[in-house]
C-alpha cells in the first residue's frame, strides 16, 4: 500500500489515487501546515504551504483520506451485529447448564457458576431458540471473518494491522505516552503499535472463538480439535471466556474512538477520514 | 439440570407480538409532521434501547422463528453429509474415567418411571419399509453381536458424563430386517408417553450406534431406559431414545419429541 499523506501533497484540487485504498483529497494547505507538520508527527512529510493566504487559521492541517475499503466497513458492521446476536444466544444456551467441567467433580472457577445471565441479555427465548439463533449466526460470522482476512491478505492491508516483533518497542512508547510518561505522540502509520496489538489479538480471539465453537459443536467428529482445546469441557470454557474478552475489547474500542479519535467513526461508516492520524502506511 | 423443557419460555407468538409492539416508535402527536434535528436525534436515542429491549429474550417471533428452524435443516445436512463419518470413531475412555453413577443425569416424560405395558412380554417391533419385519425379545437382542464401550455423553444443555454402554450394533438389527431401497430414516417409538426420535440411516449405521441393554456392566436401570435404549457417541443425549418399543423404517423424515419443538433434528456431535 503506497502512502499518500506521508508523500509531498499533490497539487491542490487534484485528488490523488494511490491503489486500493489510499486516495487523498487535499485542499490547498493553509499557513497552519508548518505547525501541523511540526506538531503532528503522524504526518511527517507534509511540505510547507506555497503561499500563505489567511493568517488566522491555526488549526493543524488535516487532509481528507480514504481510509477503509467498503469490504472492511461491511465486515466491521456485520461483525458488530453478528457478535451481539452470537453472544446473546450464547448466554441463552449457558442458562441450560451454568457450569463448566465434567459432572461429579468440582466445576471450573467461574464467577457466574450456577448463575444464569438475565433473560434480557439472552436471545432465543429458550434453549432450542438460543441454539437455532447461534447456529444460524455462526456461519455468517465465519464467512465475515474469512472475507475480512482474505481482503487483508490480498490488498496488503495486513501490513498496517499485523502486530510484529518490531512493534514491541513502539507499543511500549505508545503506552508511555498514554501513561503521560512521554510528552509527544510517537510517530505512527495508519494505526499505532498498540492498535496493531489490539486488532491482531481480536482477530486471533475471533479465530479461537470459531475453533472452540466447532470443537464443542462436533466433539466426536472433530475430536482432534476438541483435544487441542483440552477436551470438550475446556473448549466450552474457552468459548465462554472469549465472550468477555470480546465485550472488554468492544468497550475499550468504542471508548477510544469517542475519546481519542472521533473522526474514525466517520471513516468506518463512509470510508473517508479527516482527523489526527491521516498517515496511511 | 436435566430440565430442557420449554414450559418456562413464553409461547413464541406471545413473545413475537410483544416484540413487534415495542419496536414501533410512536411519532410525536400534532399536526406538524416536520421534525427538528433535535427531535430526530431524540428519536434515534429512544429507538436504540427500545429495539434492544424488544430483542431481549426474543426467539425471533412468528416470522423469523420458522426461518431459523429452516436454517437448522441446513445445519442438519452439513452435520450429516460433511461432518459425520461412518468410519471415524468417537473417542473412548478407560472405565476408571466413568462419571459417578449418582452424578449421571437421567430424565423421562413419565413420572416416576415409564413401565412397558406388559413387562414380561416386551419385545422390539422392527417394521416399516423392510423386507423382513422382526419382533425381537431382549434375549434375541442380547444374542446378537455385542459391543461395549466407555464414551462421553454430550447433552444439548452443555454437560457431559462418561459411562460404559453394552448392546447390539444397530447395524446388525438393520441387517436382520433388510430395509428396502425406499427406506431413508428410522423412527424410534417408546412407551414413555409417546417420546420418539427420528434418525438418519447414516448415523444409525455408525459402528458405535447400538441398541443398549446394559450401563456400567449391569442391565439398564429404569432411569436409563430399561429394558432397551438407543445409544451412540455421535448424537446428543435427546436423540438416544430410551424405553424403546418399536423401530420403523420410513421414506419421510420422522419428527421427534424435542425436534418438533425446535431442537436441531440431527443432533449430531
Amino acid at each position: 500500500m503506497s502512502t499518500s499523506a506521508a508523500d509531498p501533497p499533490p497539487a491542490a484540487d487534484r485528488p490523488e489515487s494511490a491503489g486500493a485504498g489510499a486516495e487523498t483529497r487535499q485542499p490547498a494547505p493553509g499557513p497552519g501546515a508548518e505547525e501541523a507538520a511540526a506538531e503532528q508527527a503522524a504526518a511527517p512529510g507534509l511540505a510547507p504551504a506555497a503561499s500563505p493566504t489567511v493568517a488566522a487559521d491555526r488549526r493543524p492541517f488535516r487532509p481528507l483520506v480514504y481510509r477503509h475499503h467498503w469490504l472492511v466497513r461491511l465486515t466491521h458492521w456485520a461483525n458488530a451485529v453478528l457478535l451481539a446476536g452470537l453472544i446473546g444466544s450464547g448466554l441463552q444456551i449457558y442458562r441450560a447448564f451454568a457450569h463448566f467441567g465434567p459432572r461429579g467433580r468440582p466445576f471450573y472457577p467461574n464467577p457466574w457458576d450456577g448463575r444464569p445471565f438475565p433473560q434480557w441479555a439472552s436471545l432465543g427465548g429458550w434453549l432450542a431458540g438460543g441454539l437455532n439463533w447461534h447456529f444460524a449466526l455462526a456461519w455468517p460470522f465465519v464467512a465475515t471473518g474469512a472475507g475480512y482476512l482474505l481482503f487483508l491478505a490480498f490488498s496488503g492491508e495486513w501490513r498496517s494491522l499485523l502486530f510484529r516483533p518490531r512493534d514491541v518497542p513502539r507499543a511500549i512508547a505508545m503506552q508511555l505516552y498514554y501513561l503521560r510518561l512521554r510528552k509527544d505522540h510517537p510517530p505512527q502509520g495508519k494505526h499505532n503499535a498498540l492498535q496493531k496489538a489490539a486488532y491482531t489479538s481480536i482477530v486471533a480471539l475471533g479465530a479461537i472463538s470459531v475453533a472452540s465453537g466447532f470443537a464443542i459443536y462436533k466433539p466426536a467428529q472433530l475430536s482432534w480439535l476438541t483435544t487441542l482445546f483440552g477436551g470438550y469441557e475446556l473448549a466450552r470454557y474457552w468459548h465462554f471466556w472469549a465472550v468477555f474478552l470480546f465485550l472488554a475489547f468492544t468497550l475499550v474500542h468504542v471508548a477510544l474512538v469517542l475519546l481519542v479519535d472521533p473522526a474514525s467513526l466517520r471513516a468506518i461508516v463512509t470510508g473517508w477520514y479527516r482527523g489526527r492520524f491521516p498517515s496511511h502506511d | 439440570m436435566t430440565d430442557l423443557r420449554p414450559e418456562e419460555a413464553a409461547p413464541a407468538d406471545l413473545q413475537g407480538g410483544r416484540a413487534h409492539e415495542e419496536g414501533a416508535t410512536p411519532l410525536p402527536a400534532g399536526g406538524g409532521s416536520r421534525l427538528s434535528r433535535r427531535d430526530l436525534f431524540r428519536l434515534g436515542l429512544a429507538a436504540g434501547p427500545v429495539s434492544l429491549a424488544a430483542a431481549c429474550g426474543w426467539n425471533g417471533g412468528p416470522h423469523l422463528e420458522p426461518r431459523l428452524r429452516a436454517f437448522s435443516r441446513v445445519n442438519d445436512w452439513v452435520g450429516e453429509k460433511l461432518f459425520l463419518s461412518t468410519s471415524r470413531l468417537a473417542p473412548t475412555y478407560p472405565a476408571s474415567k466413568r462419571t459417578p453413577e449418582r452424578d449421571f443425569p437421567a430424565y423421562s416424560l413419565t413420572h416416576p418411571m415409564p413401565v412397558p405395558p406388559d413387562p414380561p412380554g416386551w419385545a422390539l417391533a422392527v417394521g416399516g419399509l423392510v423386507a423382513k419385519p422382526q419382533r425381537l425379545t431382549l434375549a434375541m437382542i442380547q444374542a446378537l453381536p455385542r459391543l461395549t464401550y466407555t464414551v462421553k455423553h454430550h447433552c444439548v444443555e452443555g454437560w457431559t458424563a462418561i459411562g460404559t454402554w453394552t448392546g447390539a450394533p444397530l447395524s446388525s438389527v438393520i441387517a436382520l430386517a433388510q430395509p428396502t431401497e425406499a427406506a431413508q430414516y428410522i423412527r424410534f417409538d417408546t412407551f414413555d408417553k409417546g417420546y420418539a426420535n427420528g434418525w438418519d440411516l447414516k448415523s444409525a449405521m455408525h459402528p458405535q450406534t447400538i441398541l443398549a441393554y446394559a450401563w456400567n456392566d449391569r442391565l439398564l436401570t429404569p432411569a436409563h431406559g430399561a429394558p432397551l435404549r438407543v445409544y451412540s457417541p455421535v448424537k446428543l443425549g435427546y436423540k438416544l431414545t430410551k424405553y424403546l418399543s418399536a423401530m420403523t423404517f420410513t421414506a419421510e423424515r420422522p419428527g421427534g419429541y424435542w425436534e418438533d419443538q425446535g431442537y436441531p433434528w440431527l443432533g449430531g456431535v
Side-chain angles (χ1 to χ4, degrees):
Chain A
M1 186 67 48
S2 73
T3 47
S4 8
D7 295 338
D13 303 322
R14 185 164 58 82
E16 179 198 43
S17 185
E23 290 173 39
T24 309
R25 279 187 208 151
Q26 304 230 16
E34 288 161 75
E35 290 140 41
E39 164 195 317
Q40 259 307 341
L46 277 182
S51 55
T53 44
V54 189
D57 193 355
R58 290 189 165 271
R59 287 171 304 171
F61 172 63
R62 289 178 175 178
L64 186 64
V65 291
Y66 186 67
R67 168 155 271 204
H68 296 303
H69 189 270
W70 64 265
L71 219 148
V72 171
R73 287 176 279 143
L74 182 76
T75 52
H76 172 273
W77 291 110
N79 236 332
V81 174
L82 290 170
L83 208 51
L86 281 164
I87 290 176
S89 53
L91 295 181
Q92 175 69 55
I93 295 168
Y94 178 73
R95 292 175 73 85
F97 182 62
H99 309 280
F100 293 96
R103 282 186 171 276
R105 293 203 212 136
F107 292 123
Y108 301 154
N110 170 15
W112 295 276
D113 186 75
R115 291 159 55 193
F117 292 86
Q119 195 66 57
W120 61 258
S122 322
L123 178 63
W126 70 308
L127 176 55
L131 289 169
N132 288 338
W133 271 109
H134 209 71
F135 299 150
L137 297 178
W139 292 116
F141 182 72
V142 171
T144 301
Y148 174 69
L149 288 182
L150 282 176
F151 169 78
L152 291 190
F154 284 105
S155 67
E157 283 281 325
W158 62 271
R159 276 179 250 271
S160 63
L161 286 161
L162 183 68
F163 186 85
R164 281 165 280 182
R166 65 171 195 212
D167 291 309
V168 172
R170 299 176 196 181
I172 294 169
M174 200 61 215
Q175 189 59 59
L176 290 177
Y177 171 76
Y178 279 140
L179 293 174
R180 314 209 171 211
L181 297 173
R182 175 188 164 125
K183 275 213 166 123
D184 57 318
H185 191 293
Q188 70 168 75
K190 185 177 179 178
H191 300 298
N192 69 54
L194 283 181
Q195 284 175 299
K196 287 185 183 183
Y199 295 142
T200 300
S201 41
I202 201 66
V203 168
L205 183 68
I208 288 171
S209 299
V210 168
S212 59
F214 275 110
I216 56 182
Y217 185 47
K218 300 289 172 191
Q221 303 306 326
L222 304 175
S223 58
W224 59 270
L225 184 64
T226 313
T227 306
L228 219 67
F229 281 99
Y232 175 88
E233 297 79 11
L234 274 174
R236 190 167 163 267
Y237 197 51
W238 303 139
H239 200 67
F240 178 75
W241 282 113
V243 170
F244 298 96
L245 294 176
F246 271 126
L247 290 178
F249 172 89
T250 307
L251 222 79
V252 174
H253 177 63
V254 173
L256 286 179
V257 163
L258 297 180
L259 295 175
V260 177
D261 193 18
S264 58
L265 203 54
R266 171 191 182 180
I268 200 62
V269 176
T270 67
W272 290 94
Y273 175 83
R274 192 204 294 279
R276 291 174 63 190
F277 311 106
S279 164
H280 196 107
D281 69 351
Chain B
M1 283 318 154
T2 55
D3 185 26
L4 38 72
R5 290 172 177 76
E7 281 91 287
E8 59 179 0
D13 38 351
L14 253 182
Q15 294 203 350
R18 190 193 63 206
H20 280 284
E21 278 164 30
E22 286 181 6
T25 312
L27 287 171
S33 61
R34 283 175 299 163
L35 292 170
S36 71
R37 279 178 83 154
R38 185 173 292 176
D39 286 339
L40 278 175
F41 180 70
R42 284 182 181 152
L43 259 181
L45 271 188
V50 165
S51 55
L52 196 72
C56 295
W58 185 45
N59 68 356
H63 301 292
L64 258 180
E65 210 265 349
R67 273 158 224 264
L68 287 171
R69 288 212 200 185
F71 191 79
S72 185
R73 300 281 171 263
V74 176
N75 282 327
D76 288 339
W77 185 90
V78 172
E80 182 191 340
K81 307 293 180 193
L82 303 186
F83 282 113
L84 178 66
S85 153
T86 46
S87 58
R88 197 182 301 125
L89 297 182
T92 55
Y93 301 82
S96 59
K97 291 267 180 192
R98 281 179 194 166
T99 302
E101 293 197 356
R102 63 174 186 283
D103 294 316
F104 204 121
Y107 75 94
S108 59
L109 302 183
T110 311
H111 289 289
M113 213 55 85
V115 178
D118 168 27
W122 179 92
L124 178 71
V126 184
L129 302 171
V130 293
K132 297 183 174 173
Q134 305 283 322
R135 209 185 120 75
L136 302 172
T137 64
L138 196 56
M140 291 163 77
I141 292 165
Q142 287 169 347
L144 290 170
R146 175 174 299 183
L147 182 62
T148 296
Y149 50 59
T150 303
V151 292
K152 193 173 271 185
H153 184 100
H154 293 93
C155 178
V156 68
E157 293 177 327
W159 53 263
T160 56
I162 295 177
T164 305
W165 302 89
T166 303
L170 188 54
S171 58
S172 64
V173 176
I174 293 174
L176 281 179
Q178 298 178 17
T180 65
E181 288 279 308
Q184 295 294 317
Y185 303 93
I186 304 177
R187 191 180 73 239
F188 292 106
D189 289 302
T190 74
F191 52 86
D192 180 18
K193 259 191 186 169
Y195 190 98
N197 288 116
W199 272 56
D200 55 298
L201 271 188
K202 192 176 174 186
S203 301
M205 290 299 288
H206 189 277
Q208 288 172 307
T209 299
I210 60 175
L211 294 179
Y213 41 79
W215 174 59
N216 289 352
D217 312 323
R218 280 171 287 121
L219 280 182
L220 277 187
T221 57
H224 286 285
L228 191 71
R229 72 173 299 180
V230 180
Y231 204 87
S232 178
V234 301
K235 290 268 197 198
L236 290 168
Y238 67 90
K239 298 297 291 188
L240 309 180
T241 326
K242 295 152 82 174
Y243 315 107
L244 277 181
S245 58
M247 62 182 270
T248 311
F249 290 80
T250 66
E252 300 294 321
R253 197 174 72 165
Y257 181 79
W258 294 116
E259 299 88 319
D260 291 347
Q261 298 180 50
Y263 278 88
W265 183 85
L266 186 79
V269 295

